[in-house]
Amino acid sequence: MRPTDVERLTVAETVDRYAAMVRAKCAMGALAPGTAEVYARDVVTFAELAGADRVLDDLTGEDVDEVLLRFARKPDGRRARSGAGGQRAGAGEGEAASSPNASSPIAPSQSAASQARFRRSVSAFFQYAVPAGWVQLNPMQAVTLRPRHRGGLRAQRRALTAEQAEGLLGAARGLVDAAPAAAGRSDQRTELRDGLIVLLLAAVGPRVSELTRADGEHFFVNAGTRYWRIFGKGGRTRDVPLPRPVADVLDAYLREGRPLLDRGREPRALLLSWRGRRLARGDVQAVIDRVQARVEPERRRAVTPHGLRHTTATHLLAAATDMDAVRRVLGHADLSTLGRYRDELPGELEAAMRVHPLLGAVRDVAEEAPGGPGVQAGDGA
């Protein structure tokens, strides 16, 4: 028997109330803006898949299983590629053609990480729904589907090799150099912006939410060095110095590229779409894919914004950069977190063993021996 205090609310009504609660917690500092955005977006998707007009308390574990399956099969719009009649060159940021093209390839389904994240969001929603009096029982307790075991890092999450990173950065640099002579309407050209996005992601390794939240006023000069004040998780900020090549592209974008895109809609935002709106998290992937298409095939590999964050950490650590400095660049609160961001690079073990610190004396003796390295006592006797 259903208790009298359970409200017979529709899925849409409860999702609206939950999203309002999430926004309130974000405003009070109890939730990071990025986390609040993910929770709100996922419950809206849940309402679309479950049926907005259904009563929330009528949903069973089987219903939630079906929603999870439908989400897993849902095309990943971040990685959608247009066909001949799809997105114009240089589009993205929600600017793709609105009418579907039958010849366009189908976007990939959701990754294992996205499926696990969506399930966590739905579970948090129902955990709130029980004490709120929207459901009598939490249907997540009867859900049979579990997230797939990821089996380690996926290819698009692993760090790029030096050759792959150089190819991507070279393509970004090529976009920047070609910007003055680029064809098309001047107020829709995004070459400088796209090059800057890839350079910032690969050189500094920010979270994608930190990048899209950046405002022009967050960049400043101190003692001749350009800094980026990054607003990260938990209200923490960090000032990261930009390498000179990246700072030069930033200055060129602020001087020449951004004014062309400014429609006065987002006067403070650093990164704007050609419609003058602040870029969203999902738009950044379209930019990366567009720059990747300019890389030579032998050095090209799909990568996400978070994969570029892994790339930054991996190559800084491989270059023997102080671990605490890398932690501060990435904005980690705990040094131990770096272990998840340090990926293997081809040939690094062989290189480490060639310069083994305990065998330095042995190498010196071998090099000084008559006949040079490789000649041992007794050879030729």
Side-chain angles (χ1 to χ4, degrees):
M1 183 175 177
R2 187 175 290 109
T4 57
D5 59 348
V6 170
E7 298 184 76
R8 298 281 292 170
L9 300 175
T10 65
V11 174
E13 290 172 327
T14 56
V15 163
D16 286 344
R17 294 188 184 188
Y18 181 77
M21 180 277 297
V22 167
R23 287 192 292 269
K25 292 185 70 173
C26 178
M28 293 186 296
L31 271 181
T35 303
E37 180 185 345
V38 168
Y39 280 167
R41 184 177 68 239
D42 282 345
V43 293
V44 169
T45 302
F46 173 79
E48 295 172 355
L49 299 177
D53 296 331
R54 299 182 65 182
V55 174
L56 185 69
D57 192 42
D58 289 344
L59 296 183
T60 65
E62 291 182 355
D63 294 324
V64 178
D65 274 337
E66 180 61 27
V67 169
L68 296 177
L69 282 174
R70 292 179 65 187
F71 178 81
R73 298 169 184 146
K74 187 174 180 288
D76 187 347
R78 299 173 305 168
R79 307 305 301 275
R81 292 175 294 177
S82 62
Q87 187 173 328
R88 69 168 178 83
E93 312 88 62
E95 303 160 19
S98 58
S99 58
N101 187 316
S103 62
S104 298
I106 297 175
S109 58
Q110 300 294 322
S111 67
S114 294
Q115 294 176 45
R117 186 213 69 233
F118 180 74
R119 190 183 190 281
R120 288 194 299 269
S121 295
V122 173
S123 179
F125 168 65
F126 276 111
Q127 286 176 4
Y128 181 83
V130 173
W134 301 340
V135 295
Q136 177 181 2
L137 297 174
N138 186 345
M140 295 300 295
Q141 297 173 354
V143 167
T144 59
L145 293 178
R146 294 291 181 269
R148 268 189 309 167
H149 179 62
R150 289 168 59 187
L153 295 172
R154 293 175 287 116
Q156 56 265 47
R157 289 286 299 275
R158 289 200 306 266
L160 297 179
T161 66
E163 293 76 13
Q164 292 165 345
E166 288 168 3
L168 181 61
L169 293 175
R173 187 72 232 189
L175 266 180
V176 171
D177 294 340
R185 287 176 50 176
S186 61
D187 62 345
Q188 294 186 3
R189 296 213 308 259
T190 59
E191 293 82 10
L192 272 172
R193 185 208 64 189
D194 291 358
L196 175 64
I197 287 173
V198 170
L199 289 170
L200 286 173
L201 286 170
V204 182
R207 300 175 179 91
V208 66
S209 58
E210 295 170 345
L211 178 68
T212 55
R213 289 202 303 264
D215 293 338
E217 63 189 29
H218 297 165
F219 296 83
F220 61 94
V221 177
N222 184 23
T225 299
R226 173 74 80 168
Y227 284 82
W228 177 11
R229 177 158 293 168
I230 302 176
F231 291 80
K233 283 186 174 182
R236 295 188 296 270
T237 63
R238 62 190 188 277
D239 294 341
V240 179
L242 299 181
R244 177 55 63 86
V246 180
D248 290 344
V249 174
L250 171 67
D251 291 339
Y253 170 70
L254 292 175
R255 183 176 61 251
E256 304 164 16
R258 190 189 179 286
L260 295 176
L261 305 173
D262 190 0
R263 307 288 191 277
R265 299 183 181 183
E266 294 282 356
R268 300 171 56 188
L270 173 72
L271 302 173
L272 298 172
S273 74
W274 64 271
R275 298 181 187 274
R277 300 188 180 98
R278 181 186 294 268
L279 290 195
R281 295 162 58 102
D283 303 332
V284 176
Q285 184 66 60
V287 171
I288 296 173
D289 291 344
R290 197 154 57 242
V291 177
Q292 278 281 24
R294 302 170 63 93
V295 180
E296 302 92 331
E298 62 274 12
R299 296 204 290 177
R300 183 189 309 156
R301 201 198 74 202
V303 68
T304 63
H306 201 73
L308 290 178
R309 185 166 162 84
H310 275 258
T311 299
T312 302
T314 295
H315 287 278
L316 285 176
L317 292 171
T321 306
D322 179 72
M323 291 182 66
D324 191 61
V326 178
R327 177 192 66 79
R328 290 160 58 197
V329 167
L330 296 181
H332 289 151
D334 194 335
L335 195 61
S336 63
T337 310
L338 279 180
R340 299 201 303 268
Y341 284 75
R342 174 66 167 98
D343 299 336
E344 294 182 7
L345 292 174
E348 64 178 345
L349 292 181
E350 292 80 359
M353 298 308 288
R354 281 198 297 269
V355 293
H356 199 297
L358 298 181
L359 299 179
V362 176
R363 283 197 303 271
D364 294 341
V365 170
E367 291 171 357
E368 293 173 3
V375 180
Q376 302 179 9
D379 283 354

